[in-house]
Amino acid sequence: MFRYAEVLVDVANRRLDQSFHYLVPEYLNLKIGMRVLVSLQNRKVQGLVVNLTNELREEMEGVNLKHVIEIVDEDSLVPSDLIELAHWLSQTTICSIAQSLHTVWPLLKGKVEAWIVLLASIEDSDVQTLQWLDSEAFRGLTVLNRARKKAISLKVFLKRANISVETLDKLLRHGLAKKEMRFIGTAQSSIEQVIKPEQNKKADSDKSQSGRTYELTKEQATAVKGVLAALEEGSPQTVLLHGVTGSGKTEVYRELISQVLAQGGDAILLVPEISLTSQVARSFESQFGEQVIILHSGLGQREKMKAWSDIVSGLKRIVIGARSAVFAPLPHLRLIILDEEHDGAYKQDENPKYHARDVARKRMDQRKGVVLLGSATPSLEAYAAGQTGKIRMLSMTTRIGTSVLPPVEIVDMRDELRQGNRSIFSLPLQQKLRERVDRGEQTMLFLNRRGYSTFVVCRECGYVVSCPNCDIALTYHTQGQAMRCHYCDYKELPPHTCPKCGSRYIRFFGQGTQRVEEEIQGLFPDVPILRLDYDTTRSSEAHHTILDSFRRQEASILVGTQMMAKGLDFPNVTLVGVIAADQTLNMPDFRARERTFQLLTQVAGRAGRSSKPGEVVIQTYSPRDSAVVRAANHDFQGFFWEEINYRKERKYPPFTHIIRVLLLHEKEDRVIKGANALGACLQQGMQEPEFGNTDLDILGPAPAVLSKLRNQWRWQISVKGTRQDLLRSFLHQGVQRFFKSPSSNGIILNIEVDPLST
């Protein structure tokens, strides 16, 4: 009896975004989760076996099915729960199943390539076989004989041997060589073991506890007890841990993971930035040793192959990493922790545009485990869910030890101007800086913009020097004396005269971390200063080098962007200065005030984390804005209720859902035509009975805020409504309709559910 395989083809084409059925040859020992080579529309493509059956559905009876050509890799099986996760990810983010599979199981990345393999050398062949050989054929056999493992890719073989396709056919017909398809990409060798849950299992509780170097406070112990109670219930749970900065959330994580390991489970700890993984991992490695592994998108393919092999075999039981580590295939996963859960870095920018929090919840639904969300400034969505009882909520309201939350002084920069102070540093901040320098204490200065000047402008005609590839002003950097685009990295030298009117009145406006560093050096010429931003941390080790140097107190002042607002703990830092609180406050986004409050609170939390008391200075032109005032008072509750009422009045998330579709094309007229066509397809969908009498609303089409980015024009359409499932269904049908129209040719769609930024 024939067997049939249901195969998801690896083609990022929405028209082919489905599974196909193939006949399984008797000689293939096929299993669910294997990668195979199949024929699709007269070409050979890779696919993933998601089901095997002896019967076909009625509608497929009589269909002339093709055979599975061959198994690409017998040793690497994608676990069934991750295949299910890929389907879920495709549906919830409205992207192709191929993109979801590559995200969930990144080892699928690669391509299938034709190779030529030597079967018999000239010495092994009989006289009859050799009669037809000429110099060209001899040359081909010689190249094959010298190749590593007597095999070489077809493309390289034809070039290196310099033989014709006809001669190659003769070599194949006479049995001197054969052609086969090979999977090239992630590595030549696959993961060597399928998941064997009990292999190398290390559930020794003494091992988990051996490196413990802390004692839990009463609040910490209560938090641990609460999460363990949720785990013991054996049903999927989400728990929010709201702990003020310095309350010791990391020790809670360590204790929980210790308990999970002792019970035979595995755990994932997510942090918002790749740069934080090594720092966080150190404290866990001291306790759990070699059971810890770091996993993130910055790893090379060979490193990732080795890491995943260790994870699926049970050698590594604690995964610490950034967003993509949420997919780690731990065989006994019971706990996923998102530290700083409010951080926007947990949202993927590219398709599939998933949020790590949602993926974590889905995985714990599958495993009946717990998702722990930790933050001093939880997202409004998470805190609202805690208030309404949708998720559990635990609190830690005091710092550990003798440290207390620092007092915060708000400085009105308008008053500074009236007093004649045109420096970027207020007089109170300058005075407090001198006090710290004199006492040998350290200061952190925060400005969420890198570079020297925000933009370069002509004072005669108003011309702003912009990136030719993006709809954005270039930022001037004194390092290299160049203007740079922070989106596509385009660079050019600043003009001496205006390119538009020829005026010589070219000026630099705005301020960035580079300028802050330069001006603070002018105030304190003999004081060592470090800068922490994207420009100074481009190399893999630069981030750790700068922080380690500051930790050793080799510098008195650290200037940086939001990189230094997350998870940093320096005992000698007693002053934090926020240079310009207005930069995030005045963004055209309904989440601007929430982001400002979170950022100010997190940055302020870096001060006074030991026995030395700390202070914070916030410089702003909006000193009475409630986001600034409540952050200065460490008043999360007050800010939450004020902001949630504002959102409710205006029907913003979490009281409604938004799905945004971004259309991209290199030609502006094509993207405008495509956006209007998609808008028409969505309007057509509103006539359907299931969508007609709902609260669905279509916004756009309209140009994106950044109308051109990396040489692509961008337009957007958003749909809004209270039911997320209805929104997805509505948009999916509209997109399917759109891709059947000629206006969709060449258009790239980026679809984002509940975008963090509008």
Side-chain angles (χ1 to χ4, degrees), residues 53 184 277 358 366 538 570 628 647 664 691 700 749:
T53 180
I184 309 298
T277 53
D358 299 328
Q366 293 174 316
R538 294 199 175 198
F570 301 106
V628 176
R647 300 265 188 100
L664 302 95
F691 305 123
L749 291 191

Side-chain angles (χ1 to χ4, degrees), residues 8-10 35-37 44-48 72 108 110 112 183:
L8 285 170
V9 293
D10 188 5
R35 289 175 291 174
V36 293
L37 195 65
K44 293 175 181 177
V45 299
Q46 184 193 177
L48 184 72
V72 172
L108 290 172
V112 176
F183 181 73

Side-chain angles (χ1 to χ4, degrees), residues 720-732:
K720 187 178 177 183
T722 53
R723 284 181 52 193
Q724 198 179 76
D725 59 337
L726 194 70
L727 272 178
R728 285 196 182 101
S729 176
F730 172 71
L731 188 62
H732 180 75

Side-chain angles (χ1 to χ4, degrees), residues 447-740:
L447 179 69
N448 203 27
R449 190 184 297 278
R450 57 196 173 98
Y452 184 85
S453 294
T454 308
F455 59 97
V456 181
V457 65
C458 172
R459 297 185 69 175
E460 191 78 29
C461 70
Y463 173 80
V464 176
V465 183
S466 301
C467 174
N469 306 317
C470 309
D471 184 23
I472 196 76
L474 295 177
T475 300
Y476 176 66
H477 291 252
T478 55
Q479 187 176 5
Q481 301 291 308
M483 297 182 300
R484 180 182 294 159
C485 174
H486 289 169
Y487 288 90
C488 70
D489 209 29
Y490 169 84
K491 286 182 283 189
E492 68 175 59
L493 294 175
H496 296 293
T497 58
C498 175
K500 186 176 180 181
C501 71
S503 167
R504 290 183 297 174
Y505 294 103
I506 292 287
R507 294 292 182 268
F508 302 101
F509 282 88
Q511 57 202 30
T513 49
Q514 221 176 333
R515 183 180 170 191
V516 171
E517 179 189 25
E518 185 177 297
E519 293 209 12
I520 202 73
Q521 196 72 76
L523 286 174
F524 304 98
D526 300 323
V527 172
I529 298 168
L530 290 170
R531 176 160 56 91
L532 185 75
D533 58 22
Y534 180 78
D535 296 315
T536 61
T537 58
R538 294 199 175 198
S539 67
S540 57
E541 293 300 318
H543 188 275
H544 309 300
T545 302
I546 293 169
L547 291 181
D548 286 345
S549 178
F550 192 63
R551 186 172 282 107
R552 291 192 299 268
Q553 300 183 34
E554 294 171 2
S556 299
I557 300 171
L558 177 65
V559 177
T561 59
Q562 63 180 4
M563 280 184 176
M564 67 184 200
K566 304 167 186 176
L568 300 181
D569 191 345
F570 301 106
N572 198 41
V573 170
T574 60
L575 176 64
V576 167
V578 178
I579 304 301
D582 310 275
Q583 285 182 336
T584 52
L585 190 61
N586 296 319
M587 294 291 287
D589 193 319
F590 72 88
R591 284 193 171 92
R593 295 178 72 253
E594 179 186 7
R595 285 204 189 91
T596 300
F597 176 86
Q598 289 169 339
L599 205 51
L600 293 179
T601 303
Q602 292 287 342
V603 172
R606 302 311 107 200
R609 294 175 71 95
S610 66
S611 56
K612 296 179 182 179
E615 284 185 277
V616 180
V617 174
I618 297 177
Q619 299 184 164
T620 177
Y621 289 92
S622 308
R624 293 182 181 82
D625 189 280
S626 63
V628 176
V629 173
R630 292 194 183 278
N633 293 327
H634 308 286
D635 183 12
F636 178 84
Q637 287 273 348
F639 175 77
F640 169 78
W641 288 113
E642 185 177 274
E643 187 69 9
I644 204 74
N645 289 329
Y646 167 80
R647 300 265 188 100
K648 188 175 183 179
E649 287 174 8
R650 288 158 179 78
K651 295 183 180 179
Y652 287 142
F655 300 99
T656 189
H657 294 282
I658 299 170
I659 302 181
R660 181 179 62 185
V661 185
L662 196 62
L663 299 91
L664 302 95
H665 198 280
E666 292 178 358
K667 295 182 179 178
E668 186 177 16
D669 60 332
R670 291 286 301 278
V671 79
I672 294 173
K673 183 179 178 183
N676 287 319
L678 177 57
C681 290
L682 292 173
Q683 290 292 348
Q684 186 181 339
M686 293 293 283
Q687 310 307 315
E688 300 289 332
E690 58 185 309
F691 305 123
N693 296 317
T694 63
D695 65 347
L696 292 179
D697 192 15
I698 302 171
L699 310 174
V705 174
L706 280 174
S707 60
K708 190 182 182 186
L709 191 64
R710 299 184 185 95
N711 222 23
Q712 287 188 314
W713 292 93
R714 298 146 47 96
W715 273 56
Q716 66 183 30
I717 297 177
S718 297
V719 291
K720 187 178 177 183
T722 53
R723 284 181 52 193
Q724 198 179 76
D725 59 337
L726 194 70
L727 272 178
R728 285 196 182 101
S729 176
F730 172 71
L731 188 62
H732 180 75
Q733 290 187 29
V735 168
Q736 292 296 100
R737 230 179 262 117
F738 171 67
F739 275 109
K740 291 176 183 177

Side-chain angles (χ1 to χ4, degrees), residues 208-427:
S208 301
Q209 300 279 356
S210 60
R212 179 170 165 175
T213 57
Y214 55 88
E215 290 296 327
L216 297 179
T217 66
K218 186 177 179 180
E219 279 193 327
Q220 288 173 327
T222 301
V224 169
K225 187 177 179 181
V227 179
L228 290 177
L231 277 164
E232 287 169 7
E233 290 182 14
S235 60
Q237 302 262 1
T238 299
V239 180
L240 173 63
L241 176 59
H242 179 206
V244 298
T245 56
S247 59
K249 292 185 285 295
T250 301
E251 284 73 27
V252 172
Y253 303 155
R254 288 171 66 180
E255 183 64 22
L256 283 170
I257 289 174
S258 173
Q259 297 288 343
V260 167
L261 262 64
Q263 296 169 16
D266 303 328
I268 295 173
L269 170 60
L270 301 180
V271 294
E273 300 280 357
I274 291 176
S275 56
L276 290 174
T277 53
S278 297
Q279 176 187 321
V280 172
R282 285 179 197 148
S283 63
F284 283 83
E285 286 169 344
S286 67
Q287 181 172 348
F288 303 105
E290 294 183 357
Q291 296 179 96
V292 178
I293 190 167
I294 295 175
L295 193 65
H296 53 69
S297 58
L299 296 178
Q301 287 297 334
R302 289 185 180 276
E303 293 175 297
K304 191 169 288 187
M305 285 288 296
K306 178 64 168 63
W308 280 49
S309 178
D310 289 345
I311 291 168
V312 298
S313 65
L315 287 172
K316 305 293 184 181
R317 299 179 55 200
I318 304 169
V319 172
I320 297 175
R323 180 181 59 233
S324 61
V326 74
F327 299 105
L330 290 161
H332 293 272
L333 185 59
R334 295 281 295 138
L335 176 67
I336 301 178
I337 301 170
L338 277 77
D339 189 30
E340 310 291 3
E341 70 83 25
H342 66 276
D343 200 287
Y346 284 123
K347 186 70 178 280
Q348 169 89 342
D349 289 333
E350 301 171 353
N351 288 337
K353 293 178 180 288
Y354 68 87
H355 197 297
R357 180 176 56 219
D358 299 328
V359 176
R361 284 174 175 161
K362 176 61 180 177
R363 294 204 70 185
M364 291 298 89
D365 282 345
Q366 293 174 316
R367 302 297 187 93
K368 305 294 187 288
V370 168
V371 176
L372 177 61
L373 309 175
S375 178
T377 54
S379 61
L380 259 71
E381 288 83 354
Y383 198 79
Q387 289 291 318
T388 56
K390 292 181 181 177
I391 64 175
R392 294 191 185 192
M393 189 158 66
L394 303 168
S395 298
M396 296 196 300
T397 58
T398 57
R399 285 185 160 187
I400 57 175
T402 58
S403 67
V404 294
L405 290 171
V408 180
E409 179 181 352
I410 300 173
V411 177
D412 188 344
M413 294 303 285
R414 296 171 301 179
D415 290 341
E416 293 292 309
L417 283 174
R418 283 192 283 267
Q419 294 172 33
N421 178 20
R422 300 191 176 278
S423 165
I424 59 176
F425 304 111
S426 64
L427 296 177

Side-chain angles (χ1 to χ4, degrees), residues 14 89 93-96 98-100 102-103 348-354 660 662 664 748-753:
R14 290 182 184 270
L89 194 61
T93 62
I94 318 177
C95 75
S96 74
Q99 289 171 319
S100 293
H102 284 168
T103 302
Q348 169 89 342
D349 289 333
E350 301 171 353
N351 288 337
K353 293 178 180 288
Y354 68 87
R660 181 179 62 185
L662 196 62
L664 302 95
I748 298 171
L749 291 191
N750 280 336
I751 300 174
E752 187 170 7
V753 180

Side-chain angles (χ1 to χ4, degrees), residues 82-95:
L82 291 186
I83 295 176
E84 179 192 343
L85 185 66
H87 278 286
W88 170 86
L89 194 61
S90 173
Q91 292 164 3
T92 54
T93 62
I94 318 177
C95 75

